[in-house]
Amino acid sequence: MNIYACKLPSYQNWREVHYYSRYISQQRRERVQRFKKVGDAYRSFTSELLLRKILLDQFHLDDVTITTNKQGKPHLSLHSDIHFNLSHSGEWCVCIVGKEQIGIDIEYIDVIPESMIFSIISDEELEYADGLQHLFYEKWTVLESYLKMIGTGLHLPLKSIDTKLVDDQTYNVKHCEGRYPSGTSTCYTFKENYKLSVCTRGLDKNLQTCIYQYEFDKLT
C-alpha cells in the first residue's frame, strides 16, 4: 500500500488559493473560502489536489465526484470500490488510496496538549517521561487513523478505543464494545518532526507501505 505526500510551498498567498480552487470540488472550495489563515487554505486544497493527481496517475480517473457521508468522511460517489483518506499537518499533506477501508493521520510533533494527554497516554506510560512527546503523537495518530478508517472521526470518544502494541510501532486497534470493525495501525516517523499512521481493516501486522512524494507544482 502506498502513501503519497506533498510539501506545501514556502510562499503562500490568497491569489494562488483562488487560482487553485478551480481544480477542487465545490464543497471543498466553500470550505477553503471560510479559512482565515492562508496556510489552512493551502493544506485543505492541496489535500484534494494530491488525491486527484493520484487518481489520475494510478487509476486513470479524471474529473471524479467527491462527496461526504453522514459522518463527514469523503468518498468517491461513482467509484465505491476505491477508498481513500487524507490528512495534513504543518507543511505536509498526505493521502492513501486503496481497495479497502483505510485511514491516515499525520501530526507535527509539538507541545503535548494538556487537555488531551490523559485521553491518549495511560497512567503506566506517564511514568516513563523519556520519549513521552513522541509516544503521545504516535498513539494520537494511531487512534485518529483508526477513527478515520471506520468513518466516525473524533465523534467517538478516544477512551472507547483500545490499542495494543503487537510489533515495532504497529498496533491492533478495536472498539471496546465491539460496535466497529477492528483495525491494524502502523506508525512512522516522517521527516523527523512528524508522526504518520496508516490504519487498515482487520488485524495484519505485516502491512507493507511505501511513501512517495509529489511536488506541489506538479499537482495540476
Side-chain angles (χ1 to χ4, degrees):
M1 188 170 292
N2 297 329
I3 300 168
Y4 302 92
C6 180
K7 187 177 182 180
L8 299 180
S10 56
Y11 176 72
Q12 303 171 1
N13 62 82
W14 287 106
R15 181 176 296 180
E16 272 200 348
V17 172
H18 178 73
Y19 170 79
Y20 284 109
S21 291
R22 72 179 72 181
Y23 298 107
I24 59 179
S25 63
Q26 178 64 29
Q27 189 176 40
R28 175 78 64 170
R29 193 178 305 124
E30 292 173 356
R31 186 188 310 173
V32 167
Q33 291 172 350
R34 292 195 293 268
F35 286 119
K36 303 298 183 183
K37 296 181 179 180
V38 69
D40 293 333
Y42 265 78
R43 280 183 282 272
S44 183
F45 79 71
T46 300
S47 296
E48 184 170 318
L49 290 181
L50 177 60
L51 169 65
R52 290 180 177 275
K53 180 65 172 174
I54 295 163
L55 292 174
L56 180 61
D57 288 355
Q58 305 298 325
F59 296 87
H60 309 293
L61 295 177
D62 191 12
D63 195 27
V64 295
T65 301
I66 302 171
T67 58
T68 56
N69 61 18
K70 294 180 180 180
Q71 290 75 37
K73 184 176 182 178
H75 63 94
L76 303 179
S77 58
L78 301 179
H79 302 278
S80 59
D81 60 324
I82 299 177
H83 299 265
F84 71 90
N85 205 229
L86 307 170
S87 185
H88 50 71
S89 181
E91 58 185 6
W92 286 95
C93 296
V94 293
C95 175
I96 191 164
V97 182
K99 294 291 187 178
E100 59 183 13
Q101 288 180 304
I102 44 181
I104 191 170
D105 187 55
I106 185 172
E107 298 291 341
Y108 177 71
I109 300 172
D110 204 345
V111 177
I112 297 176
E114 292 185 8
S115 61
M116 294 186 63
I117 188 168
F118 294 107
S119 299
I120 306 292
I121 302 295
S122 67
D123 292 340
E124 293 180 352
E125 290 167 334
L126 283 173
E127 296 178 4
Y128 301 93
D130 293 342
L132 184 61
Q133 188 180 35
H134 279 258
L135 177 62
F136 173 85
Y137 283 98
E138 177 175 314
K139 294 197 67 178
W140 182 356
T141 58
V142 164
L143 286 165
E144 190 154 347
S145 67
Y146 171 74
L147 294 174
K148 294 174 74 177
M149 186 271 289
I150 62 176
T152 66
L154 292 175
H155 298 294
L156 204 62
L158 294 177
K159 283 294 188 180
S160 68
I161 308 302
D162 178 66
T163 61
K164 179 181 179 182
L165 184 66
V166 294
D167 203 347
D168 184 30
Q169 296 182 311
T170 298
Y171 293 77
N172 284 348
V173 193
K174 65 180 181 179
H175 185 254
C176 294
E177 298 177 2
R179 290 193 284 117
Y180 298 93
S182 300
T184 298
S185 186
T186 302
C187 184
Y188 307 89
T189 298
F190 179 70
K191 302 296 182 181
E192 297 185 3
N193 297 321
Y194 292 81
K195 288 292 184 180
L196 183 157
S197 288
V198 173
C199 188
T200 58
R201 188 167 179 172
L203 304 178
D204 180 11
K205 70 177 183 179
N206 297 314
L207 175 68
Q208 300 293 321
T209 58
C210 296
I211 301 177
Y212 296 93
Q213 184 174 337
Y214 274 85
E215 299 297 327
F216 176 83
D217 59 1
K218 300 294 176 54
L219 294 182
T220 57

